[in-house]
Amino acid sequence: MSRKRIYVAYTGGTIGMQHSEQGFVPVPGFLTDTVKKMPEFYRSEMPEFDIHEYHPVIDSSDMTPEHWRHIAEDIQQHYLNYDGFVVLHGTDTMAYTASALSFMLENLQKPVIITGSQIPLAQMRSDGQVNLLNALYLAANYPIAEVALFFNNQLFRGNRATKADASGFNAFASPNFPPLLEAGIHINLIAGQLNQTIDADPLTLASVVPQPISVVTLYPGISTDVIRNMTTAPVRALIIKSFGVGNAPQRPELLQILSDASARGLIIVNCTQCFKGKVNMQGYATGNALKQSGVISGYDMTLEATLTKLHYLLSKPLNPDAIRQQMQQDLRGELTAD
């Protein structure tokens, strides 16, 4: 039986950086050279793999929808020649890219795993070796046909993951959905489903273009002027990070601003600012008032999933009502509806 082939796209990030007098810096070819010096990657149990380093590499803080498109196109161009894909990425915006790719890659039937590290691969005690080894092994032997994020022995659904620790190895969490898989002493499939067959329908790529989207976190005493300014042109959507299960002040002037903006076609999504949980605008009068003003529920979506899903839908030729409807539907496993 022939070994599986995995395509590795090194987009940038800590995992491939080299130490210098100025600190850690990206150096072309350094990641590939580092991997070649590590025999663990070339054991007989491991798949064959090819590393493609982006030039220039992208600092994840500089990531844009154009970069999402470039990564998605890279996967599409190599889709027929490989059994799975690993994307090496900086951790700061890794969950945004994972969410975006989950919407952009339509009819995905092969695993796409995004990973990286908190310490460069070439350094002592790097988490990069375990993360990359596992990502390659899982892509070949546990083919879960969706965009996933692997970190610290857990494989998360990409559009359910969020960065939870700025400096720890357990950098990512999936607060509202169980891991797809856990790679401990034994590899345990949890919420993931293995895909053993591939049908004839090709992978298609949904175009995503940059969209003017506002995000506001509510706080006690927030000014209505702040909200008004975040709903003015050219803004096409507003994400409100509300209190608790979706509550907000009931000030009439605030509700009127939201109602007027919604009537103009603005998509206003209510997401909880809590780390875990789900918006329920029926639960309290304060949440119900938002619903009456045209605000829709973000259910239990992460901010990353909400933002990238809005990019995906706003890039399509859909009217506001159709976008509102699809925002509240489960398209890629990103939300738990009522």
Side-chain angles (χ1 to χ4, degrees):
M1 185 174 172
S2 61
R3 291 162 71 184
K4 297 285 186 70
R5 295 184 68 219
I6 307 299
Y7 181 82
V8 182
Y10 173 49
T11 69
T14 298
I15 192 168
M17 289 190 174
Q18 183 177 23
H19 185 66
S20 74
E21 292 181 357
Q22 291 76 39
F24 291 111
V25 295
V27 175
F30 183 68
L31 173 81
T32 301
D33 291 343
T34 302
V35 170
K36 286 179 178 177
K37 295 173 184 174
M38 295 180 167
E40 296 89 344
F41 287 100
Y42 300 95
R43 292 172 59 105
S44 60
E45 305 97 315
M46 292 294 289
E48 296 178 356
F49 60 91
D50 296 314
I51 299 176
H52 172 217
E53 296 194 17
Y54 285 18
H55 297 293
V57 293
I58 311 157
D59 187 296
S60 73
S61 298
D62 291 324
M63 195 66 62
T64 68
E66 281 298 307
H67 294 121
W68 300 339
R69 180 183 59 79
H70 179 62
I71 296 167
E73 287 176 348
D74 191 18
I75 292 170
Q76 185 184 42
Q77 288 165 9
H78 294 90
Y79 190 71
L80 297 178
N81 299 321
Y82 292 88
D83 299 295
F85 301 84
V86 172
V87 178
L88 299 179
H89 195 290
T91 58
D92 284 351
T93 60
M94 186 185 290
Y96 287 94
T97 298
S99 292
L101 292 178
S102 77
F103 296 113
M104 297 171 71
L105 298 172
E106 298 179 330
N107 193 43
L108 179 65
Q109 298 178 67
K110 296 180 181 182
V112 174
I113 300 177
I114 303 181
T115 192
S117 68
Q118 296 283 56
I119 298 176
L121 183 62
Q123 296 298 302
M124 272 289 289
R125 299 181 55 251
S126 173
D127 54 327
Q129 185 178 21
V130 172
N131 286 345
L132 180 53
L133 271 170
N134 274 286
L136 288 166
Y137 186 81
L138 295 176
N141 298 293
Y142 290 81
I144 299 172
E146 58 180 279
V147 178
L149 188 156
F150 185 86
F151 226 87
N152 199 35
N153 298 320
Q154 291 188 302
L155 186 72
F156 300 116
R157 176 166 290 163
N159 55 36
R160 290 288 195 157
T162 188
K163 192 168 184 183
D165 191 331
S167 56
F169 286 151
N170 202 24
F172 289 88
S174 177
N176 293 314
F177 193 76
L180 300 176
L181 178 153
E182 287 185 348
I185 294 175
H186 303 287
I187 294 176
N188 295 317
L189 201 63
I190 301 175
Q193 293 186 344
L194 301 185
N195 185 43
Q196 305 291 3
T197 59
I198 297 177
D199 64 39
D201 294 334
L203 175 75
T204 57
L205 180 59
S207 175
V208 166
V209 296
Q211 299 291 335
I213 298 171
S214 293
V215 182
V216 60
T217 301
L218 298 185
Y219 55 86
I222 188 170
S223 165
T224 52
D225 288 337
V226 171
I227 307 293
R228 181 184 290 108
N229 289 338
M230 300 188 88
T231 63
T232 57
V235 172
R236 297 188 65 194
L238 170 65
I239 300 170
I240 298 175
K241 299 198 71 178
S242 59
F243 303 124
V245 294
N247 301 315
Q250 280 192 283
R251 297 198 300 269
E253 62 272 25
L254 171 61
L255 297 175
Q256 189 62 52
I257 289 168
L258 297 176
S259 181
D260 292 346
S262 183
R264 296 195 306 270
L266 203 77
I267 313 300
I268 308 175
V269 188
N270 184 2
C271 292
T272 177
Q273 58 187 253
C274 299
F275 181 68
K276 184 177 181 180
K278 182 177 177 181
V279 165
N280 174 17
M281 291 195 289
Q282 311 285 1
Y284 295 88
T286 48
N288 194 52
L290 290 178
K291 186 176 182 180
Q292 300 303 316
S293 300
V295 179
I296 62 173
S297 176
Y299 294 97
D300 58 353
M301 282 192 291
T302 62
L303 172 64
E304 295 92 334
T306 308
L307 186 92
T308 54
K309 188 175 182 180
L310 281 167
H311 274 86
Y312 169 70
L313 293 174
L314 287 167
S315 298
K316 291 178 175 290
L318 299 171
N319 64 43
D321 284 340
I323 293 174
R324 292 186 185 105
Q325 183 181 22
Q326 291 194 42
M327 279 299 296
Q328 297 176 93
Q329 292 174 345
D330 182 15
L331 303 183
R332 300 286 193 279
E334 75 281 359
L335 65 78
T336 309
D338 292 331

